[in-house]
Amino acid sequence: MIAHMYGPVEGRKHDAGMLADSGLLADLQRNAFSLTGQPLCLYGDPAYPSRIHLQCPFRNAVLTPQMQELNAAMSALRISVEWLFGDIINYFKFLDFKNNLKVGLSSVGKMYLVGAIIRNAHTCLYHNQTSDFFSVDPPTLQDYFV
């Protein structure tokens, strides 16, 4: 499920700039803790800064075999997150920007956000490829909309 959707953003904007503008790091600092108080983290793009709540691939010039292994394993998992964005376009074909929408003539950003919310609701009811891959049950529809 998409838990923190930020946008729309102009395509030229750098990932690190979007991260700063989104407020995600502040939200994670307030909310990303386990029931026992341990910090939880996301794994992000190499362009992001490494923080307690946001981990990135190792970027050193010399990587140990363990660092290389972790980078490879996490890269494979990052791909599974991209499935969600494909799901939105597959379920709502009219959101295929390249084929159907025109910036300035359509509310592209709002329509995509609504598609993401509806896709999240669908996931609550029927699961999706990502929740099945990670063996994680999504919240109930009632909990999602609270």
Side-chain angles (χ1 to χ4, degrees):
M1 293 184 62
I2 297 174
H4 190 274
M5 180 70 93
Y6 172 72
V9 177
E10 202 177 331
R12 298 183 298 230
K13 186 137 187 173
H14 190 274
D15 287 352
M18 285 189 286
L19 176 65
D21 293 345
S22 73
L24 176 62
L25 290 177
D27 286 349
L28 291 172
Q29 287 174 334
R30 276 192 307 276
N31 303 307
F33 295 93
S34 72
L35 296 175
T36 61
Q38 294 285 63
L40 301 173
C41 68
L42 300 175
Y43 187 79
D45 190 271
Y48 296 151
S50 189
R51 301 283 186 265
I52 289 175
H53 296 289
L54 182 62
Q55 301 296 304
C56 311
F58 290 104
R59 296 177 285 224
N60 301 344
V62 179
L63 299 178
T64 67
Q66 292 87 358
M67 290 173 162
Q68 291 173 350
E69 251 181 73
L70 181 68
N71 280 355
M74 294 307 287
S75 178
L77 295 176
R78 280 185 57 226
I79 291 167
S80 65
V81 172
E82 300 293 329
W83 296 338
L84 296 170
F85 301 108
D87 281 353
I88 293 169
I89 298 303
N90 286 332
Y91 275 82
F92 306 104
K93 294 290 186 190
F94 67 91
L95 290 177
D96 189 351
F97 174 74
K98 288 177 251 174
N99 295 325
N100 300 318
L101 303 174
K102 309 262 186 284
V103 173
L105 298 177
S106 305
S107 297
V108 177
K110 288 180 185 174
M111 291 166 54
Y112 192 87
L113 290 172
V114 170
I117 291 167
I118 294 170
R119 182 64 185 119
N120 277 353
H122 186 272
T123 297
C124 291
L125 295 171
Y126 304 107
H127 288 234
N128 65 16
Q129 184 179 11
T130 307
S131 63
D132 292 342
F133 180 81
F134 288 105
S135 299
V136 175
D137 288 330
T140 66
L141 193 59
Q142 292 76 17
D143 286 342
Y144 174 66
F145 281 111
V146 168

